[in-house]
Amino acid sequence: MRLHSNDFRIPLEHGHSLFAREVTKTPRDSVSGDTPGACSSSSPLSSEDVQPAVIVIVVHGGPGLNSHEESYDGIKNLLLDWNDKTKPPASSDGTATSGEYFKWINAIVFYDQLGCGCSEGPPLPPGEEDKAETTETPGLYSLSYYVLELQQVIQSIRLRYEGTPTKRICVLGHSWGGQVVLEYLLGGRHQASKDSSSSSSIDCAIISNTPLNEATYAQRQQEIRNALPNDVRAFLEQDDQQQASNDSVPSKIYHKLIGQSETDITGEMAGWDALQRLPELSLPCLFITGTNDTIQYKEYEQLCGLPNPPQVLILEGGEHGPFYGATAPHYFRAIQRFLEHVSTGGSALEAP
């Protein structure tokens, strides 16, 4: 199966736009090729382009990274069978080939958050990176801003596929991207969209390698750093200091949200905690982490005790980038089964 990429722009309410890359099963009239970072535009899909399945919107990590640095290549190569190479046979443990992964996915949309990658944004005013949220109006590059941005992305993708058989949308957030997705789900925007209009509602979510509590995440980062050799720790501390003086927009975004270092979170995300709010989740969710992740993977074990527990997968030996390495087939197999469950309207799903 040959898959095809197509680059386009997603307009935002404040006049800026986001770079997005869409991967589909069917070729388009205008395809920009496979050049990372290429920024172009094209026409919407026609009803002949798609079949009933799920559209997956990928929210990349960071903050301050972009989809190509953080998730695009890994998902592209392992989930999408991008170059139509000979598909590897399913392994003896039943993990799926890449062609099977795509069975329940009609398209995957990657986008760069504002200020990252090809989604150029305005610079922060001096001192703005140290300013926390104090009003209901989202400040530029704040958590609230990126949640609102995700809402506009979902609305745009639904409009892009309007009139086609594809109806279901699943949002996959990796690392920081998962925090944006969780805040979208738990902060009321998803529920409000369901009450008033379906244009920004989603059908399921995948939370991948995402910190659920910033305090325990910082503690985990410090534990990892303390276990490193002295010269490596010294190098990292020096790098933290050098990055603090970096004036690029992505670096300013990181400093505003995180601070100087993930071992001591002093930015807007300090004190952020989703664990206590997770019982409020009201749609199908899959949480994935690994025992070698840089987050506190044991927090994911607590999710199994919730009144309406989500699906949880903890990969033995899994690291923070699960779409690479030996655990990748298990990672994508779990996603494939989850999307199959959502697509077919199943009521029960065995543990991955």
Side-chain angles (χ1 to χ4, degrees):
M1 175 176 61
R2 178 71 178 178
L3 301 176
H4 306 269
S5 68
N6 187 55
D7 297 347
F8 62 102
R9 305 293 297 193
I10 297 175
L12 300 176
E13 291 178 354
H14 51 66
H16 298 290
S17 67
L18 305 179
F19 167 80
R21 171 159 292 169
E22 165 187 72
V23 182
T24 63
K25 299 177 183 179
T26 307
R28 302 284 298 279
D29 293 336
S30 174
V31 177
S32 61
D34 189 25
T35 304
C39 302
S40 62
S41 61
S42 63
S43 59
L45 292 172
S46 71
S47 59
E48 297 177 353
D49 289 326
V50 297
Q51 298 297 323
V54 177
I55 304 169
V56 177
I57 299 174
V58 179
V59 187
H60 66 73
L65 296 178
N66 61 68
S67 59
H68 294 96
E69 289 179 312
E70 205 273 338
S71 57
Y72 174 76
D73 285 332
I75 294 177
K76 177 193 74 173
N77 293 330
L78 290 169
L79 181 58
L80 298 181
D81 194 27
W82 185 261
N83 292 315
D84 201 24
K85 296 176 181 177
T86 302
K87 297 182 179 66
S91 61
S92 58
D93 61 3
T95 54
T97 67
S98 52
E100 290 178 79
Y101 296 142
F102 206 75
K103 179 178 180 181
W104 299 104
I105 302 174
N106 181 65
I108 295 186
V109 178
F110 304 84
Y111 73 95
D112 290 347
Q113 297 158 24
L114 188 69
C116 307
C118 273
S119 296
E120 299 87 355
L124 277 167
E128 183 70 19
E129 64 269 21
D130 299 322
K131 183 179 179 182
E133 287 286 325
T134 57
T135 70
E136 294 182 0
T137 302
L140 186 63
Y141 305 131
S142 64
L143 174 61
S144 297
Y145 164 77
Y146 284 116
V147 171
L148 178 61
E149 178 184 89
L150 175 59
Q151 183 179 34
Q152 294 179 52
V153 168
I154 295 168
Q155 290 171 339
S156 179
I157 297 305
R158 283 210 177 274
L159 181 62
R160 187 171 174 80
Y161 282 82
E162 189 175 24
T164 73
T166 297
K167 300 297 183 183
R168 298 183 184 276
I169 287 184
C170 183
V171 178
L172 188 161
H174 178 254
S175 192
W176 147 257
Q179 293 178 297
V180 174
V181 176
L182 282 174
E183 200 62 37
Y184 177 75
L185 297 176
L186 298 172
R189 290 196 175 274
H190 175 257
Q191 189 60 43
S193 70
K194 290 179 68 177
D195 292 342
S196 58
S197 169
S198 63
S199 64
S200 58
S201 66
I202 60 176
D203 299 280
C204 62
I206 300 168
I207 308 299
S208 176
N209 308 87
T210 294
L212 302 180
N213 178 287
E214 282 295 324
T216 57
Y217 176 70
Q219 180 183 19
R220 169 69 170 158
Q221 303 314 296
Q222 189 63 62
E223 291 172 353
I224 293 172
R225 185 169 292 196
N226 290 343
L228 297 172
N230 292 337
D231 58 337
V232 177
R233 290 205 308 272
F235 172 82
L236 292 175
E237 290 169 1
Q238 183 179 16
D239 185 65
D240 286 341
Q241 296 173 1
Q242 291 175 346
Q243 290 301 319
S245 60
N246 190 326
D247 288 330
S248 69
V249 172
S251 291
K252 291 292 187 181
I253 293 171
Y254 180 86
H255 297 150
K256 175 181 175 65
L257 290 163
I258 302 300
Q260 182 172 316
S261 171
E262 291 186 345
T263 62
D264 182 21
I265 298 173
T266 57
E268 182 189 323
M269 295 300 292
W272 185 85
D273 181 14
L275 270 175
Q276 304 304 315
R277 296 182 288 158
L278 289 180
E280 301 171 19
L281 288 175
S282 59
L283 80 168
C285 292
L286 170 64
F287 285 72
I288 308 178
T289 185
T291 56
N292 291 340
D293 203 340
T294 55
I295 69 170
Q296 294 281 11
Y297 77 88
K298 290 186 179 297
E299 291 180 343
Y300 280 50
E301 295 176 344
Q302 300 177 29
L303 306 184
C304 299
L306 294 177
N308 185 25
Q311 291 296 305
V312 178
L313 173 64
I314 300 177
L315 295 165
E316 184 66 36
E319 300 181 348
H320 196 62
F323 17 80
Y324 301 103
T327 59
H330 303 279
Y331 177 82
F332 289 117
R333 174 60 174 168
I335 292 176
Q336 187 266 344
R337 294 183 63 205
F338 177 69
L339 294 179
E340 177 183 3
H341 168 71
V342 172
S343 298
T344 58
S347 59
L349 183 65
E350 296 178 1

